[in-house]
């Protein structure tokens, strides 16, 4: 019985590590996308001439 529980826990540990790894990758991609969006927003706002509006 102890071996079965140990194998289940080992699988859970691998799953947990995989989820952490995927979360880190996803968060890095989201941060990269957000940084790019901010850059584009700044570039767009710089080109607007408020005197003409």
């Amino acid at each position: 019985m102890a071996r079965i529980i140990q194998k289940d826990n080992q699988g859970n540990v691998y799953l947990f590590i995989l989820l952490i790894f995927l979360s880190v990758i996803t968060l890095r991609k989201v941060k990269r996308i957000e940084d790019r969006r901010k850059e584009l927003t700044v570039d767009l706002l710089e080109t607007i001439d408020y005197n003409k509006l």
Side-chain angles (χ1 to χ4, degrees):
M1 187 71 177
R3 288 183 183 169
I4 294 172
I5 293 172
Q6 186 177 3
K7 281 187 178 182
D8 287 345
N9 287 340
Q10 185 178 9
N12 289 341
V13 168
Y14 288 147
L15 182 61
F16 183 70
I17 291 171
L18 178 65
L19 288 175
I20 289 176
F21 180 72
L22 292 175
S23 297
V24 168
I25 290 174
T26 303
L27 289 174
R28 289 179 68 186
K29 285 187 177 186
V30 166
K31 185 177 183 327
R32 193 175 307 143
I33 291 169
E34 282 294 312
D35 290 344
R36 183 65 182 140
R37 183 190 61 81
K38 287 178 185 176
E39 289 175 9
L40 288 173
T41 303
V42 167
D43 289 343
L44 288 173
L45 289 177
E46 285 178 352
T47 59
I48 296 175
D49 187 7
Y50 291 104
N51 293 328
K52 292 182 181 179
L53 297 177

